Amino acid sequence: MHDDLDSLEAQSIYILREAYSRIKPMAMLWSLGKDSNVMIWLAKKAFLGKVPFPVAHLDTGLEFPETYAFRDRYATEWALELIKDACPPLEATDPTLPHNSRVAARKTLGLKAAIAKYQWKGVIAGIRRDEQATRAKERVFSPRDDAGAWDFRDQPPELWDHFAADLPDGVHMRVHPLLHWTELDIWRYIKREAIPVVPLYFANAENKRFRSLGEIGITFPISSPARNIDEIIAELAVTREPERAGRAMDHDSEDAFERLRVAGYM
């Protein structure tokens, strides 16, 4: 029986194949969270079991031990061409940003450095429109200027899955194959496909778990008794708490996240 997950999967695979056929060289960002794990799973399906481009973990050195262990295990099991470049230090970020946003901005600088180093013309990222209001303004194929910046007021139209992938010199394209998914879709697909995730998503003895997984010091667990995927899916059906409630950077000044995104954050 064809269900809505089949439709979501088919559209994402179409986007990945379109991107790979039209943009080279290209890489996929791997935050090690649930969304980017789904994205790698879809890429394996799209290209006969082998991800055909590098997978980049922009490393702040602040991941949880469980997250590093997950990366090292599945990079090998999934036969990924893994790039794990270190991000620049906090001192290199914009000092006018709030502290939590400055920590996050290290990844922006790390991405810009990687684009310059590897000369990527395309970067695939696992963001979703339902995650955060600024991300809701995104396109599936989203051009960035020569400084990596994003002008959300001037984006190409995307009608009937016709994507504008042409790029002038000096710019690159962000590609978002999960933009049309919801958090609930992601967990239902993880369950259906038995996709591995970092165990921090499941409640510990204190009934705490991570709903959105980021770095130590700027990401915190939420109160939740959900100890398996079925319980997470049931919880999402009734909760009114935002997905990124545990992300300290989302509680910075009102425009901080939009400033990060405009400057090139994922």
Side-chain angles (χ1 to χ4, degrees):
M1 179 183 294
H2 188 86
D3 65 16
D4 58 332
L5 290 180
D6 292 325
S7 298
L8 290 168
E9 177 189 76
Q11 186 172 359
S12 295
I13 286 175
Y14 171 74
I15 291 166
L16 287 165
R17 288 174 174 164
E18 278 287 290
Y20 185 59
S21 69
R22 298 168 68 175
I23 306 171
K24 289 184 176 63
M26 187 170 65
M28 174 179 282
L29 300 181
W30 190 20
S31 72
L32 303 160
K34 60 188 186 302
D35 304 302
S36 59
N37 291 345
V38 165
M39 200 165 56
I40 288 175
W41 197 266
L42 290 165
K44 284 163 62 69
K45 282 197 171 189
F47 302 106
L48 304 176
K50 171 68 176 175
V51 180
F53 32 71
V55 173
H57 175 219
L58 304 173
D59 191 2
T60 58
L62 297 173
E63 304 286 2
F64 291 90
E66 295 90 338
T67 306
Y68 283 119
F70 184 95
R71 180 194 68 184
D72 295 341
R73 173 180 175 180
Y74 286 99
T76 300
E77 289 195 16
W78 292 341
L80 303 176
E81 181 186 346
L82 177 64
I83 291 172
K84 45 184 180 180
D85 287 359
C87 294
L90 188 70
E91 292 73 21
T93 62
D94 179 356
T96 68
L97 284 168
H99 173 75
N100 298 317
S101 296
R102 289 189 70 186
V103 175
R106 291 181 59 200
K107 288 209 168 186
T108 305
L109 299 182
L111 177 56
K112 290 181 179 180
I115 289 171
K117 179 179 179 181
Y118 301 106
Q119 294 294 295
W120 293 330
K121 297 296 288 182
V123 175
I124 305 172
I127 67 167
R128 293 179 282 106
R129 286 196 177 99
D130 76 325
E131 279 180 280
Q132 206 274 341
T134 303
R135 285 176 170 164
K137 301 173 184 176
E138 270 289 3
R139 297 287 191 271
V140 174
F141 281 62
S142 180
R144 298 303 201 262
D145 69 14
D146 55 359
W150 174 49
D151 184 356
F152 63 86
R153 297 180 182 85
D154 182 21
Q155 302 183 80
E158 291 185 333
L159 302 173
W160 304 287
D161 287 345
H162 290 281
F163 303 119
D166 297 332
L167 284 171
D169 291 339
V171 304
H172 75 274
M173 186 72 78
R174 301 284 176 90
V175 183
H176 304 125
L178 300 181
L179 205 56
H180 52 298
W181 294 56
T182 67
E183 183 186 12
L184 186 56
D185 295 330
I186 291 291
W187 279 110
R188 290 172 55 230
Y189 190 71
I190 287 170
K191 174 181 170 60
R192 189 183 87 168
E193 303 286 315
I195 301 171
V197 293
V198 178
L200 293 169
Y201 282 112
F202 305 113
N204 60 18
E206 288 76 41
N207 284 337
K208 296 282 188 181
R209 73 177 188 88
F210 287 84
R211 186 169 160 192
S212 179
L213 190 58
E215 285 79 23
I216 295 171
I218 61 169
T219 311
F220 301 94
I222 62 166
S223 295
S224 165
R227 286 179 163 72
N228 56 53
I229 296 176
D230 285 333
E231 291 177 2
I232 289 175
I233 290 172
E235 182 179 271
L236 292 179
V238 297
T239 186
R240 293 186 177 277
E241 189 174 41
E243 178 179 355
R244 293 174 61 90
R247 295 278 195 145
M249 57 186 282
D250 286 40
H251 302 288
D252 281 342
S253 60
E254 185 175 346
D255 66 341
F257 194 80
E258 184 161 304
R259 287 175 63 191
L260 283 174
R261 294 277 296 144
V262 168
Y265 187 72
M266 287 64 75

